[in-house]
Amino acid sequence: EESKHTQLSRCLTTTDLIALGVGSTLGAGVYVLTGSVARDKAGPSIVLSFLIAAVASVMAGLCYAEFGSRVPKAGSAYVYSYITLGELWAFVIGWNLILEYVIGKYLYLGTSSVARAWSENVDALIGGKFRDFSLTYLKMETPGFAEYPDFFAFAIILVLTGVLCFGVKESAMFSKIFTGVNILIILFVIVAGSLTADINNWYITAQDIQNQYNNLGTGGFFPYGVSGMMSGAATCFFGFVGFDIIATTGEEVKNPQRSIPISIVFSLLIVFVAYFGISIVLTLMVPYYMMDTGAPLPMAFAGVGWSWAVYPLAVGATCALSSSLMGGLFPMPRIVYAMAQDGLIFRFLAKINKRFKTPLIATLLSGLLAGIMVLLFDLEDLVDMMSIGTLLAYTLVAMCVLILRYQPEKEDSKSGPRISMADFNELDSSETLLSRLINPKLNFPTLKSGKLVYSCVMVIGKNVDVTNNDLYFLICFLNMWYSLLAFVLCAALVNFSHTSYSLAMVLCLISSALIILLTIVILRQPQSTKKLTFTVPFVPILPILSSVCNIYLMCELSSGTWIPFSVWMVIGLLIYGGYGFRNSTERVRGREAPVVRSNSFK
């Protein structure tokens, strides 16, 4: 019942959530992403790249959907990690989510990068006069800073921050209007483009490619091979990032257990149809090697004599950026609010305005911080860094689903959780160690089976109490993290051509074998029978595949990306050590956080 009580206003419907999810995810990238990936990485096979990326995104989305029905509270991945793994992991995720929403995600999905793109897009419609004026009178020549202070972008962030302060319903209405216009423009592109499609553009031969394009593949449907299609899928995956905004609205939805899972699934479906349709039409309109990477759609329509189409495309891009900007600003205060409420950051940020029922201080400070970033700094070099935080959040949410599905239902009493008689009998049973691993006698989860699954997934168990030496030895042996194994596997795959073939093969085989072994152990354990509005299918296979996909994408990022990420983490951990550790709610209450805070699931 705890999750039903909130100081925020419960006024959002399923339609509102779908609009927020689609608006945040389907930003300006839909007008740019297809051209750049098709030309330089995948060619016409970008159609399959988007399909693979959509499958990977749906796996992550389903994990969020189950948690949305299980724990309908503000905070998204931060809250999910807190409940399952404790406050340290939760702080790590929350700290990265703040940075992700402040500066920006890949491909125009974050607040500051979207605001600057929005400013540049509107400035282009008036002939670049604002840019020319700024470069003439306001130019900054300091390394790390922007060419000029973008007051236009700063102003739009402050305006939208004001909209967010007035209430969540007004913010949702804003998002619905701009998302609706964006969808209409995308439908126009798909329908109009199909009228000029030429199937021969999927069957281009090497001889057809002109001399100046010799480095752009060999023609055909797979001009860069299957590896190019997979590399394109890794890039396309980030085009689906943004649906997690839905999970931050848990305390502002009328029926969160039903609306959140439905909204996440439908949002991803709509986004996939949009990307899939545009990728088909664009690659049929123009040979992939002739696409413009900056403005592929206007150039494609100009090439078939429809130059007038640039105007609706400009309107669509502006609307996409507007809804995406709202999608970046909307969840940030809610992450801050959830962390402040738990005492991990300053508690005054959790204050709710009684009139508007919004986290007013958190909203104002978040908007001001994003505005300052976009006003002064060059954000391009930081964009990939944000992707690490996003992928880390996706990975931990998948692991949390895996852990919680195998935990027993606990009952609260004044003395804490109770061990059932079945647990007691199992602890005293004489079954062999191997039998406990692959053929447990009970068909429902117990404390011991839950700890076993937890140990298979995480590196460090949290206060795992065992009374059996064999089980303790087993937990120590299986105390290997799926992420660690998957990281070794994915790093070997990504750097296969740059390392010794024998070494890469050995690493792949060993890590794959251990992952399969731990998966078999988990498969044999009994799952929880608790009825939820939505549950992830094919557990534990789907969460494990989702984690591996996310870690593979992290390995695809450049090594230079991890340096600023590490600096940001050091700053966050200093804040946690200096304030959050001593002032957290769990610390104040004087008790340790259990593996599962059962009062959150009743």
Side-chain angles (χ1 to χ4, degrees):
E1 297 294 328
E2 176 186 310
S3 62
K4 295 182 180 178
H5 300 291
T6 175
Q7 300 179 64
L8 302 174
S9 174
R10 287 198 180 275
C11 58
L12 296 180
T13 63
T14 303
T15 305
D16 294 327
L17 294 188
I18 293 175
L20 285 171
V22 174
S24 177
T25 307
L26 199 63
V30 73
Y31 296 93
V32 179
L33 179 61
T34 306
S36 60
V37 174
R39 184 178 185 271
D40 299 327
K41 293 187 177 182
S45 66
I46 187 177
V47 175
L48 299 180
S49 297
F50 272 117
L51 179 61
I52 294 171
V55 172
S57 300
V58 167
M59 288 192 295
L62 291 176
C63 295
Y64 271 82
E66 174 168 327
F67 261 112
S69 65
R70 186 189 288 268
V71 192
K73 295 185 72 66
S76 184
Y78 161 76
V79 170
Y80 306 158
S81 300
Y82 195 111
I83 289 171
T84 311
L85 307 176
E87 68 180 34
L88 177 58
W89 275 111
F91 180 86
V92 169
I93 292 301
W95 187 246
N96 281 289
L97 289 176
I98 291 173
L99 183 65
E100 170 188 315
Y101 289 122
V102 168
I103 294 180
K105 301 181 210 169
Y106 195 81
L107 290 171
Y108 308 112
L109 288 177
T111 301
S112 300
S113 56
V114 170
R116 186 169 287 276
W118 192 96
S119 173
E120 292 172 355
N121 190 72
V122 173
D123 189 39
L125 295 178
I126 60 175
K129 295 180 180 179
F130 179 77
R131 175 182 173 83
D132 293 340
F133 174 85
S134 299
L135 287 176
T136 302
Y137 299 102
L138 303 172
K139 188 174 182 179
M140 298 188 297
E141 297 182 351
T142 306
F145 285 79
E147 285 186 289
Y148 58 88
D150 197 335
F151 289 101
F152 202 8
F154 179 76
I156 188 61
I157 284 183
L158 294 186
V159 169
L160 291 184
T161 299
V163 174
L164 285 171
C165 290
F166 284 123
V168 64
K169 193 66 178 178
E170 290 75 11
S171 305
M173 180 59 67
F174 177 95
S175 182
K176 279 195 289 188
I177 293 172
F178 283 98
T179 300
V181 175
N182 186 27
I183 293 295
L184 289 176
I185 299 299
I186 291 173
L187 289 175
F188 159 76
V189 171
I190 295 174
V191 174
S194 63
L195 299 178
T196 61
D198 183 0
I199 192 64
N200 292 321
N201 287 327
W202 281 10
Y203 298 97
I204 296 171
T205 63
Q207 292 74 23
D208 295 328
I209 301 177
Q210 302 173 17
N211 292 332
Q212 62 266 39
Y213 302 115
N214 281 341
N215 61 334
L216 296 179
T218 58
F221 192 76
F222 293 94
Y224 298 95
V226 175
S227 61
M229 184 264 292
M230 293 301 298
S231 177
T235 302
C236 291
F237 175 86
F238 292 101
F240 292 87
V241 170
F243 66 84
D244 50 329
I245 181 180
I246 297 173
T248 66
T249 64
E251 296 183 39
E252 295 164 290
V253 186
K254 292 180 180 179
N255 187 0
Q257 284 92 345
R258 177 180 180 274
S259 295
I260 290 178
I262 291 175
S263 302
I264 290 176
V265 173
F266 270 87
S267 295
L268 288 174
L269 178 61
I270 292 170
V271 171
F272 166 67
V273 170
Y275 276 122
F276 194 71
I278 285 184
S279 63
I280 290 176
V281 167
L282 186 60
T283 53
L284 289 175
M285 288 178 67
V286 183
Y288 76 91
Y289 58 86
M290 295 180 64
M291 289 184 186
D292 186 278
T293 56
L297 290 175
M299 295 302 294
F301 279 102
V304 296
W306 291 23
S307 299
W308 57 268
V310 67
Y311 298 106
L313 289 174
V315 172
T318 303
C319 290
L321 287 166
S322 300
S323 57
S324 188
L325 179 54
M326 178 63 76
L329 283 169
F330 185 90
M332 186 165 43
R334 282 141 185 87
I335 299 293
V336 173
Y337 161 77
M339 295 180 69
Q341 197 175 43
D342 289 327
L344 299 188
I345 57 178
F346 308 108
R347 288 186 180 274
F348 73 88
L349 295 171
K351 290 184 179 179
I352 301 297
N353 182 272
K354 294 182 179 180
R355 178 180 177 185
F356 301 117
K357 294 188 177 181
T358 58
L360 190 61
I361 298 177
T363 301
L364 290 173
L365 289 180
S366 299
L368 183 61
L369 177 59
I372 293 173
M373 294 295 292
V374 73
L375 181 67
L376 300 176
F377 294 100
D378 182 3
L379 305 172
E380 283 188 28
D381 296 334
L382 300 178
V383 169
D384 278 350
M385 184 180 73
M386 305 312 106
S387 302
I388 299 178
T390 302
L391 294 169
L392 182 61
Y394 286 4
T395 302
L396 282 185
V397 169
M399 289 181 175
C400 290
V401 167
L402 188 60
I403 291 171
L404 286 183
R405 187 65 71 85
Y406 291 89
Q407 299 301 317
E409 298 305 319
K410 296 181 181 180
E411 297 183 25
D412 285 331
S413 66
K414 292 183 179 180
S415 59
R418 294 186 287 112
I419 298 180
S420 66
M421 183 58 68
D423 286 347
F424 181 82
N425 292 336
E426 187 190 14
L427 287 171
D428 284 344
S429 66
S430 59
E431 59 182 341
T432 64
L433 180 62
L434 183 62
S435 176
R436 294 172 193 169
L437 274 177
I438 62 175
N439 190 29
K441 293 182 178 180
L442 301 177
N443 59 359
F444 55 88
T446 64
L447 291 176
K448 189 164 70 173
S449 67
K451 291 171 184 176
L452 178 60
V453 172
Y454 189 92
S455 300
C456 288
V457 176
M458 299 304 299
V459 171
I460 301 175
K462 291 175 38 175
N463 303 321
V464 178
D465 297 323
V466 289
T467 58
N468 183 286
N469 290 331
D470 290 338
L471 181 62
Y472 180 76
F473 174 79
L474 171 66
I475 287 177
C476 291
F477 178 74
L478 292 180
N479 213 0
M480 300 177 184
W481 195 15
Y482 264 113
S483 293
L484 179 62
L485 294 173
F487 185 84
V488 173
L489 173 63
C490 295
L493 291 174
V494 169
N495 298 284
F496 203 87
S497 60
H498 305 293
T499 57
S500 166
Y501 176 81
S502 300
L503 177 61
M505 285 298 297
V506 169
L507 290 175
C508 288
L509 290 175
I510 292 177
S511 56
S512 298
L514 289 173
I515 289 175
I516 293 173
L517 173 64
L518 296 180
T519 302
I520 292 173
V521 172
I522 294 176
L523 269 170
R524 297 302 302 156
Q525 306 309 309
Q527 292 189 30
S528 171
T529 57
K530 181 177 180 178
K531 298 296 182 182
L532 298 173
T533 308
F534 179 86
T535 55
V536 176
F538 310 117
V539 171
I541 303 300
L542 192 146
I544 291 172
L545 287 177
S546 178
S547 298
V548 172
C549 287
N550 297 329
I551 293 169
Y552 176 83
L553 293 173
M554 280 193 274
C555 292
E556 284 279 359
L557 298 172
S558 65
S559 57
T561 301
W562 292 84
I563 297 174
F565 174 79
S566 301
V567 172
W568 175 254
M569 284 308 309
V570 169
I571 295 172
L573 291 175
L574 288 175
I575 293 175
Y576 174 74
Y579 179 86
F581 181 79
R582 292 178 295 134
N583 295 279
S584 70
T585 300
E586 295 296 336
R587 208 73 54 190
V588 171
R589 289 177 180 173
R591 67 170 185 263
E592 296 181 353
V595 173
V596 178
R597 297 193 306 183
S598 56
N599 62 336
S600 298
F601 299 100
K602 281 194 166 186

